[in-house]
Amino acid sequence: MPEHTDDEIASVHRHAAELGVGLDPAAVRRVELDGGDVRVSGLSWGGDDPKVILLHGGGQNAHTWDRMLLTGTGPALALDLPGHGRSGWYPTPDYRPRRMAASLATAIGSLPAVPRVVVGMSLGGLAALALAAAHPDLARGLVLVDITPGNRPGRAGDLATLAETEVFADFEALLRHTRRYLPTASDASLERSLRYNAVRRDDGSYAWRADPRRWEDGRTQTERLFDEMASLWSEVALLQCPTTLVVAGDSPIVTVEDRQRMLRSNRRVRSVEIPRCGHNVQSDRPEALAAEVSCLLDT
């Protein structure tokens, strides 16, 4: 079992208490699934028959969905992507969407029943897209949160450099560093996020929990991702399930042109914009995103 699991789950219950949400003591638990070539870890919300699968963005982990799930989305399984959170690492740092989709398909396919909707944000959205295209039996509905294959380097601005510093002398140094990139986040939410996204090393320093390795040629995982990005338009055309593209109103990631191309590429795609939020819609407007997921669940 991963380290600090008891503290991890206790933190979820403290978060619920802060929001005034009643949460059954057994409602959330850590689970481990076989992803074939990698162990896939996740958080089960509400039992062993999840209606929703949730896939986070790059550098994040399953806890990014906590606030949204505390609004009452229903039985869900929030997974740590390979190389992230408490999931295993690949032998080589190849975390491109199609490879992760293959591992996730094995993990999701081991569940007792097929989930109703797969939700993916940013990198997790690209993995969800690849998953739904290659395994239509595993995704009856799809929600892509502020991402399309049209994304290009530079659109994320300063956030793209957040993880470039890899090691911090102590937690306070990590907190100060992150605060520069996320100045509007509350102290409580920022500290909670960092406790999940970073790991304390034996010497007392902190490092990001996600796999930081570069490719053998020295290129970063992000650089390799963008090499493959545009080719994922072919997956959009293959989608067989109702799909909602959620666009963050204050984010530069999805352009008008990207949005229009998504709609032209597949008649099953609809698009909705959620105003007053940045790229992390699940953090900025959790209730609005939960409503879109519920809408697709009801179709």
Side-chain angles (χ1 to χ4, degrees):
M1 188 64 67
E3 74 275 19
H4 306 310
T5 297
D6 292 340
D7 290 342
E8 173 194 26
I9 302 303
S11 178
V12 174
H13 285 272
R14 288 194 296 271
H15 192 188
E18 292 168 6
L19 297 173
V21 175
L23 189 62
D24 187 281
V28 185
R29 62 187 179 89
R30 175 65 63 176
V31 297
E32 308 288 338
L33 302 175
D34 179 10
D37 54 353
V38 71
R39 174 181 51 81
V40 177
S41 188
L43 291 168
S44 173
W45 289 71
D48 295 327
D49 186 20
K51 305 301 182 188
V52 180
I53 299 292
L54 298 147
L55 305 175
H56 60 78
Q60 299 179 342
N61 62 79
H63 283 288
T64 194
W65 305 103
D66 287 359
R67 180 74 178 264
M68 190 187 87
L69 291 170
L70 286 169
T71 67
T73 305
L77 178 60
L79 295 176
D80 290 330
L81 294 177
H84 294 70
R86 289 176 168 82
S87 287
W89 292 8
Y90 291 131
T92 59
D94 180 1
Y95 297 98
R96 290 176 295 179
R98 292 185 179 100
R99 181 175 187 183
M100 289 196 295
S103 301
L104 294 168
T106 299
I108 295 169
S110 71
L111 298 174
V114 177
R116 294 278 301 281
V117 174
V118 177
V119 182
M121 177 262 174
S122 199
L123 176 61
L126 296 173
L129 171 61
L131 169 71
H135 303 275
D137 56 314
L138 296 182
R140 298 176 181 174
L142 179 66
V143 179
L144 303 176
V145 182
D146 206 44
I147 194 66
T148 76
N151 191 22
R152 293 292 179 267
R155 289 189 189 174
D158 290 345
L159 280 178
T161 63
L162 171 61
E164 287 186 357
T165 301
E166 296 179 4
V167 180
F168 304 86
D170 51 33
F171 188 80
E172 288 66 31
L174 171 63
L175 188 61
R176 288 193 301 271
H177 170 81
T178 309
R179 171 61 70 194
R180 290 197 293 269
Y181 294 91
L182 300 169
T184 62
S186 70
D187 291 342
S189 65
L190 190 59
E191 180 170 344
R192 180 165 42 241
S193 174
L194 290 176
R195 295 290 182 189
Y196 297 139
N197 274 329
V199 60
R200 186 178 186 273
R201 308 197 308 178
D202 291 342
D203 63 0
S205 64
Y206 280 78
W208 299 115
R209 189 178 289 276
D211 185 349
R213 292 174 297 164
R214 291 173 176 254
W215 285 60
E216 288 185 358
D217 61 5
R219 304 191 76 192
T220 66
Q221 295 177 35
T222 300
E223 289 170 334
R224 285 287 190 174
L225 169 63
F226 279 109
D227 287 345
E228 182 178 293
M229 187 84 70
S231 71
L232 290 166
W233 281 115
S234 62
E235 268 79 348
V236 177
L238 293 173
L239 293 175
Q240 298 181 26
C241 61
T243 299
T244 300
L245 170 64
V246 174
V247 179
D250 297 333
S251 167
I253 301 297
V254 179
T255 66
V256 172
E257 292 76 17
D258 295 338
R259 193 172 179 176
Q260 291 174 344
R261 183 171 178 179
M262 286 287 294
L263 297 175
R264 289 197 308 269
S265 297
N266 195 312
R267 62 181 177 80
R268 296 176 177 84
V269 177
R270 63 180 286 268
S271 178
V272 61
E273 180 174 321
I274 296 181
R276 304 184 308 280
C277 65
H279 186 47
N280 290 300
V281 183
Q282 71 281 4
S283 300
D284 293 353
R285 297 289 308 279
E287 294 85 357
L289 181 55
E292 293 300 331
V293 175
S294 296
C295 181
L296 199 54
L297 278 170
D298 292 338
T299 59

